[in-house]
């Protein structure tokens, strides 16, 4: 298996990332998944899902000497991507930022941001248990 320090694998990952982002951008435009940015302009959201292509390509095509199982990085990245997608697509703008979602949670209201916080914490703890039993 090639090493990630060799030029061909690094270029391959860049190509995979570029293709994934382009495909995700096209999908977001086609589905009209748009969110206002800080200037108030509607821009395609959830395009970052395209970077999963590079994560999957890297973990499936190249191996490292790391102690982590080969499936762990793509599983964690995909889990976080799904949590982010849920927040992007189903979340409201009523609460924003970590503090806003934690305050809502403390008041008994589960927001998609709080779900992302709790789910992400669970994913991270699970990955830690897999790595350090």
């Amino acid at each position: 298996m090639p090493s990630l320090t060799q030029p061909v694998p690094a270029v391959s990952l860049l190509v995979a990332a570029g293709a994934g982002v382009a495909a995700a951008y096209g999908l977001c435009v086609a589905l009209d998944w748009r969110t206002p940015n800080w200037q108030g302009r509607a821009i395609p959201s959830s395009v970052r899902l395209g970077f999963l292509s590079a994560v999957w390509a890297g973990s499936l095509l190249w191996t490292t000497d790391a102690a982590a199982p080969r499936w762990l990085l793509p599983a964690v990245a995909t889990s976080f991507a799904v949590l982010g997608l849920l927040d992007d697509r189903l979340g409201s703008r009523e609460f924003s930022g970590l503090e806003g979602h934690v305050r809502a949670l403390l008041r008994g209201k589960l927001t998609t941001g709080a779900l992302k916080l709790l789910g992400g914490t669970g994913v991270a703890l699970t990955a830690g248990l897999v790595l350090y039993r």
Side-chain angles (χ1 to χ4, degrees), residues 93-107 109-111 113-114 117:
R93 298 283 181 214
E94 183 180 353
F95 300 98
S96 65
L98 178 62
E99 182 181 354
H101 291 291
V102 170
R103 283 183 187 213
L105 188 60
L106 292 174
R107 292 184 192 140
K109 180 167 177 109
L110 180 63
T111 64
L117 169 68

